[in-house]
Amino acid sequence: TGAYWGHRWAHTVPLLWRFHAVHHSSEHLDWLAASRVHPVDHPSFAQDVDTLVGRAGDRLAFLMVPKPRHLADLQQAIAHIDQVARGHGRGLALPVHALVETHGALRDVFAMAALPRVQILSFGLMDFVSAHRGAIPQSAMGVQGQFSHPLVLRAKLEIAAACHAAGKVPSHCVVTEFKDDKALADAARRASRELGYTRMWSIHPNQIKVIVDAFAPSVAEVDEAIQILLAAQAARWAPIRHAQRGQDQLHDRASYRYFWQLIQRARRTGQPLPVEAQVAPEPRPEPGGRHMLEPILEARVRLRPMLHGVIPHQELPEPRIGLLFCRGFMEMIEGFVHFLDRAEGPFYFALGTG
């Protein structure tokens, strides 16, 4: 295949090896050196896993499992990876990434995303198109066609929806026109803004910065998010009105959560954030064992920062911003108000000391 010969030339052609050698030069295994194994039904799959897990141990960041034909394939791969990891004394559960590029995997994508050991699902564009045996034109592999052909677009949306439903990361496919920065940036923006992808594959180092910049929120979006969250904090997280493009818009805890996540995305993509937006970098355990992240906002007038709420970590399917102090009491009051609201007649209360 083209992938095989391309990889072989990268090892044998001196000019290509100068670039490819970066992949083999890491002193520590991390995201750069994590490995893709053969498909689970390939004779070399077991040997791949044994060699990588046995020699790398806990330094191995993840394993990529390509071409699962259905849920059972991925379950089988994970079971074997775990068995080998236990046999070699690996102390950490090894994250698994999977490439969705077959009809059966797309059919089972929600179940695959729900597997606890799965961290990321990626879309394998070219194998998916080829699996249709000519029913999808070759143009659907290009930067334009992959965003317009209905079957390809459906596959991308299913993968993104499944990942978000399970709290996992959807990773968009490559753009083969790697010398066209404008086309790449447009594809990355569409993957992020229209399809809900939070990561994207690159096939050349020059693509990385273009992709990160396209996935990052704009300066205007970050500024607006900070303004809204500061106003919400001043209102003690009650609903507020905020003028946008000459129109007043209502914001409450649901949109506060969105704007906080936008600030987190800006931080992850390396954008400089003003002093008004500070993010606690490490999750802390909430009473009860769950991991939470503490958002901290500092007012423009440099008042003492208020620790105002919590946003659950990725493991929780329904993150929200809420008050730490007396949250349970407020929820009880809210429930009582709803009870009164449903009453068909008046209520009478006797208040006194006796």
Side-chain angles (χ1 to χ4, degrees), residues 74-204:
L74 189 54
Q75 290 173 319
Q76 178 185 342
I78 292 172
H80 183 77
I81 291 169
D82 288 346
Q83 179 184 356
V84 172
R86 288 192 298 270
H88 286 285
R90 179 183 166 99
L92 302 175
L94 182 59
V96 172
H97 299 187
L99 269 169
V100 178
E101 45 195 341
T102 66
H103 299 294
L106 185 62
R107 180 197 62 222
D108 295 344
V109 69
F110 276 83
M112 290 167 60
L115 294 174
R117 302 280 283 95
V118 170
Q119 187 180 61
I120 292 179
L121 290 182
S122 299
F123 180 47
L125 171 65
M126 288 178 280
D127 279 288
F128 180 78
V129 170
S130 298
H132 286 77
R133 296 172 293 181
I136 299 178
Q138 186 270 341
S139 60
M141 299 184 190
V143 69
Q144 297 298 329
Q146 64 172 281
F147 286 97
S148 60
H149 195 283
L151 288 175
V152 176
L153 198 56
R154 167 185 169 263
K156 290 185 180 184
L157 291 171
E158 287 286 299
I159 293 168
C163 285
H164 288 298
K168 306 300 175 62
V169 176
S171 185
H172 194 266
C173 57
V174 300
V175 170
T176 55
E177 296 88 344
F178 63 88
K179 290 187 176 181
D180 190 339
D181 287 351
K182 184 177 182 302
L184 174 64
D186 182 62
R189 276 192 295 268
R190 297 189 69 178
S192 172
R193 303 276 175 155
E194 298 176 15
L195 306 184
Y197 280 79
T198 55
R199 290 190 184 179
M200 183 173 179
W201 282 95
S202 65
I203 57 174
H204 190 277

Side-chain angles (χ1 to χ4, degrees), residues 2-340:
Y4 167 79
W5 284 107
H7 193 200
R8 181 166 180 170
W9 291 336
H11 280 259
T12 57
V13 177
L15 179 61
L16 297 179
W17 172 248
R18 291 175 60 187
F19 294 96
H20 189 64
V22 175
H23 173 71
H24 294 274
S25 62
S26 297
E27 296 181 2
H28 304 284
L29 286 174
D30 52 21
W31 62 269
L32 182 66
S35 185
R36 167 176 168 166
V37 297
H38 283 90
V40 68
D41 59 329
H42 192 280
S44 297
F45 171 78
Q47 182 181 356
D48 288 350
V49 174
D50 187 70
T51 300
L52 290 165
V53 176
R55 295 187 179 183
D58 286 341
R59 293 173 298 166
L60 189 61
F62 66 86
L63 283 181
M64 168 68 80
V65 177
K67 299 179 178 61
R69 297 163 297 180
H70 36 61
L71 173 65
D73 265 4
L74 189 54
Q75 290 173 319
Q76 178 185 342
I78 292 172
H80 183 77
I81 291 169
D82 288 346
Q83 179 184 356
V84 172
R86 288 192 298 270
H88 286 285
R90 179 183 166 99
L92 302 175
L94 182 59
V96 172
H97 299 187
L99 269 169
V100 178
E101 45 195 341
T102 66
H103 299 294
L106 185 62
R107 180 197 62 222
D108 295 344
V109 69
F110 276 83
M112 290 167 60
L115 294 174
R117 302 280 283 95
V118 170
Q119 187 180 61
I120 292 179
L121 290 182
S122 299
F123 180 47
L125 171 65
M126 288 178 280
D127 279 288
F128 180 78
V129 170
S130 298
H132 286 77
R133 296 172 293 181
I136 299 178
Q138 186 270 341
S139 60
M141 299 184 190
V143 69
Q144 297 298 329
Q146 64 172 281
F147 286 97
S148 60
H149 195 283
L151 288 175
V152 176
L153 198 56
R154 167 185 169 263
K156 290 185 180 184
L157 291 171
E158 287 286 299
I159 293 168
C163 285
H164 288 298
K168 306 300 175 62
V169 176
S171 185
H172 194 266
C173 57
V174 300
V175 170
T176 55
E177 296 88 344
F178 63 88
K179 290 187 176 181
D180 190 339
D181 287 351
K182 184 177 182 302
L184 174 64
D186 182 62
R189 276 192 295 268
R190 297 189 69 178
S192 172
R193 303 276 175 155
E194 298 176 15
L195 306 184
Y197 280 79
T198 55
R199 290 190 184 179
M200 183 173 179
W201 282 95
S202 65
I203 57 174
H204 190 277
N206 289 344
Q207 291 186 329
I208 295 174
K209 186 179 187 305
V210 178
I211 292 173
V212 171
D213 289 345
F215 270 69
S218 68
V219 174
E221 288 176 315
V222 174
D223 287 346
E224 182 183 40
I226 293 172
Q227 292 172 13
I228 290 173
L229 289 176
L230 287 171
Q233 179 175 271
R236 299 182 63 83
W237 308 104
I240 63 168
R241 291 187 303 172
H242 179 75
Q244 183 179 20
R245 300 183 185 91
Q247 297 285 336
D248 277 351
Q249 291 188 341
L250 174 68
H251 292 287
D252 58 15
R253 287 191 297 174
S255 55
Y256 301 158
R257 176 176 59 181
Y258 165 80
F259 289 115
W260 180 252
Q261 291 166 343
L262 187 144
I263 291 176
Q264 286 183 309
R265 206 164 71 244
R267 176 174 174 267
R268 287 195 298 268
T269 51
Q271 292 197 46
L273 293 176
V275 69
E276 293 90 340
Q278 300 180 16
V279 181
E282 296 293 336
R284 66 171 184 82
E286 186 193 46
R290 297 185 300 174
H291 282 77
M292 316 295 282
L293 293 177
E294 298 179 351
I296 302 173
L297 294 178
E298 186 174 51
R300 293 179 186 273
V301 294
R302 303 294 179 88
L303 297 177
R304 188 174 68 86
M306 178 188 297
L307 179 61
H308 61 74
V310 293
I311 295 179
H313 197 42
Q314 181 172 309
E315 289 87 349
L316 300 179
E318 289 294 335
R320 70 177 187 270
I321 291 179
L323 294 176
L324 281 173
F325 180 69
C326 292
R327 181 174 55 186
F329 177 73
M330 294 302 296
E331 290 177 350
M332 181 185 71
I333 294 295
E334 184 180 9
F336 184 62
V337 170
H338 281 258
F339 170 74
L340 294 179

